[in-house]
Amino acid sequence: MKEFAYFGKPALPLGDEIECEAKYENYYLIANKPAPNTQIHAREIDYYLESSDEDALEISKNVSILYEARALAFDGSKFEKYSKTVGKRVLFIGTNPDMSLKASLEKLDFKVICLDEIKFIYGCAGELCAIIEQGLEQAEVECDFAVFFGGCESWATRQSGCFDASAISAKEILEFLSSHTPNYTYQNYIFCQNDACLYHHKRGDVCSKCVELCPTVAILKNEDEKELVFSPIDCIACGRCVSICPSGAIDNAVITRTSFEALGRLFKSRIPIIAKDGFLPKVRFKNSVLPLVLPSDGILDFNNILSLVLGCGGEIFIFLPNMPKASKEAIALANEIFKARFGCELVRVFDDEISLQEAISKARYKNIGEFELGIYPNKASAISAKLALIAGSLDLGEFSTYESTAHGKISVDESKCTLCASCAGACPTSALITDSANNALCFNESLCIGCGYCVISCAESQTISLKKGKMHINTEFFAPKELAKDELFACVECGKEFATKKAVEKIASILTPAFSGDEKKLRTLYCCAECKAKLMILSQSDEGVLDV
C-alpha cells in the first residue's frame, strides 16, 4: 500500500510513489481529496495541477514535491486529534436574532433559547455557561453553543462554541453546528516544551507574551503554580504565540521548526509561495514557483524564515494577508541581513494576487549557495548557527532588532561579580556559561534572547546589565567572551582550592561582624567545607560544649 494517493485519473503521468485512481476504501497518508481513510487532505495538489503552466515533466516533479512536503511535516508533527460529545442547546443573544437561522436549527433538532443580553459567558463548546441578571440576582444558563447578534464585546467570542453573527454568515454557523454535533472534533495546533518556557516555574514574571497575544482563552496563566494552561479546543490556529515566543518553547504542532529546515531543502532550486492551507491565491504557476501551505498565518518566526531561505538557497514568496506583527518584524530583520550579505532581499511579501502573479511571471531563481543545516538543541542555537552560515568571515554590520526577534547583550560589573554562576544556571539558552578551566564567566551574544532572567537571578545588586535593540553580526558575535574572571582561593588550613577569591571575600565581609572576637570562627570563613567542620568541632570542644 502506498502512502500517497491521487483520487481520480490525472491528466498527466505522476510519480511512481503516487497511487493514481486510488480507492476510497483503502488507507493512505496523503491524498488530493478528503476521504474517510486518508490522514491528510492536501488540497494544494489539485490546486497546483489546475493552475500550473509548466511542462508536463516539471509538473510531475513538482507534484511529487508537494506530496513529500506534506509527508515531511507529518513525520515531525506533534498534533493529536480529540473528540467530545456535545449537545444541541444553542443560545441566541441579542435583541434582533436571526429567526430563519433559528428555524433551520430547530429542524435539525437543536434547542434554541433567545436572550436579549447576558453579563458574561465562560467555558468551551459543549460546556458553556452564560451569566444573566434576574432582578437583583444573577443566574447561570448552560448551553453548548452561543450566537451573538448585533455585535458583542471581545470577551464574548474568546471561547470555542461562541459566534459573532456580524462576522460569520448564518450559513456558515449552520454548517459548523451541524457538522460538530453530537461529536465535536478538534486538534492541538501548538505544543509547549516546559523546560524551555520562560514562564514555567520561573522566579518573577520574565515572559508571558503568548498569553498576552492569544485572541482566545487557548493559553492562560496559572499564577499560583507559575504554569501555562493550554486549551486545544479554544485554539483558532492563528500562530501568534509561535511567532512571539522568544525561547521557542511554543511551537506549531503541524509543522515544527525542525520540519521547516527539511522543507527548505525539499524546495531547493525552486521558489515556494508560502500560503495558508485553504486560502491559496488564484494565480498561474511557472518559472519553478510552487505552493507551500502552512496551517496558520502566524508561525513564521525569525528562525523559520532563515530555515526556508537557506534550505531553498534563494528567494521565497509569502502570501499571508493576516500575518501578525511579530512575523512581519522577523521578515524585516531577515531581509536587512540578506541585503547586507547577498545584495538583495530574499523574502518577498504579497498582499494581493495581482502583484503576486506579476512576480511569478518574472521569477528567476537566485542561487545564494549551499548551506548545511544541522540539528539544534533550541531555537537560539538554531538562529545562531544559521546567522553564522550567512555571515561566514564577513562583518555584516549592525542591525536594529525588535522585541519579537528576541536578542540582547549582557555586560557585567566585574568588581561586583563573585562568579557564583547563578546567572549561568538561570540562562535558558546557555548564552552565559562558566569556564571552570579559567574561573571565568563567558557570554555568547549570538545565543542571547534578552529575557533578563540572568538579571533577576543575580545575587549581587546592579551587577548584570542587559541591553536590547541592536546586534552587530561579525565573527566576534558568535565567539564566547569573558565577562568576569577570578583566581581560586586556597583553604588556609589544607591549601585546597575550593572557591573563587571574590566569593570567599564576599561571604567573609558579611559574616565577620557576627564572628568578631572569635578567631577560630573567623578562620573558618577562609576554609574549605571539610576544614570548616573540623575547626568548628575543635572550637566547640574548647568551649566545653563537646566531651572529647
Side-chain angles (χ1 to χ4, degrees), residues 19-41:
E19 183 173 323
C20 295
E21 298 186 74
K23 296 177 174 59
Y24 279 90
E25 62 269 21
N26 290 343
Y27 288 85
Y28 302 100
L29 176 63
I30 301 162
N32 62 314
K33 297 186 184 300
N37 298 324
T38 297
Q39 183 78 25
I40 298 170
H41 170 207

Side-chain angles (χ1 to χ4, degrees), residues 489 491-496 498-499 503-505 507-508 511 515 518-540 546:
F489 186 87
C491 174
V492 294
E493 283 288 307
C494 67
K496 182 177 72 175
F498 68 96
V504 172
E505 290 175 345
I507 295 172
L511 295 179
F515 293 170
D518 191 325
E519 293 299 324
K520 287 184 179 178
K521 286 185 178 179
L522 287 173
R523 188 171 178 81
T524 64
L525 298 177
Y526 303 93
C527 293
C528 66
E530 292 82 0
C531 293
K532 188 189 302 289
K534 181 182 70 175
L535 286 179
M536 291 302 293
I537 291 172
L538 291 174
S539 176
Q540 291 175 345
L546 295 178

Side-chain angles (χ1 to χ4, degrees), residues 191-343:
F191 68 98
C192 182
Q193 297 169 299
N194 288 334
D195 58 344
C197 177
L198 298 177
Y199 182 80
H200 189 78
H201 298 173
K202 293 294 188 292
R203 298 185 299 275
D205 201 354
V206 179
C207 177
S208 56
K209 296 177 182 178
C210 54
V211 178
E212 296 163 11
L213 279 183
C214 183
T216 70
V217 292
I219 311 178
L220 297 174
K221 292 191 292 187
N222 180 339
E223 296 187 354
D224 292 335
E225 301 294 332
K226 297 293 289 184
E227 294 176 352
L228 296 179
V229 180
F230 296 90
S231 175
I233 195 171
D234 293 305
C235 180
I236 60 173
C238 68
R240 297 179 191 180
C241 55
V242 177
S243 64
I244 200 65
C245 181
S247 67
I250 295 181
D251 199 357
N252 186 263
V254 180
I255 303 181
T256 64
R257 290 187 177 88
T258 302
S259 296
F260 268 100
E261 292 161 8
L263 286 170
R265 292 189 292 269
L266 183 64
F267 279 73
K268 180 68 179 175
S269 302
R270 288 169 172 78
I271 302 174
I273 295 179
I274 315 300
K276 185 179 178 181
D277 194 6
F279 296 89
L280 302 171
K282 295 178 182 178
V283 293
R284 303 295 302 178
F285 290 93
K286 59 181 180 179
N287 298 327
S288 297
V289 178
L290 65 161
L292 172 57
V293 298
L294 304 184
S296 308
D297 286 301
I299 63 174
L300 285 181
D301 61 7
F302 189 52
N303 177 66
N304 291 341
I305 291 164
L306 295 180
S307 294
L308 288 173
V309 171
L310 296 184
C312 294
E315 275 187 319
I316 64 172
F317 293 172
I318 297 178
F319 184 80
L320 293 169
N322 294 315
M323 263 198 310
K325 179 183 177 183
S327 293
K328 294 177 181 178
E329 291 175 347
I331 290 169
L333 176 59
N335 270 334
E336 288 181 30
I337 295 171
F338 293 143
K339 192 171 183 179
R341 174 62 178 87
F342 304 110

Side-chain angles (χ1 to χ4, degrees), residues 6 16 46 84 87 121-122 145 173 175 189 213-214 244 258 299 320-321 343 375 392 420 441 450 477 490 509 522 539:
Y6 186 89
D16 292 339
D46 284 339
K84 64 182 292 188
I121 191 167
Y122 64 90
F145 303 95
I173 293 173
E175 289 177 349
Y189 284 96
L213 279 183
C214 183
I244 200 65
T258 302
I299 63 174
L320 293 169
I375 299 174
C420 69
L441 176 67
F477 181 72
S509 66
L522 287 173
S539 176

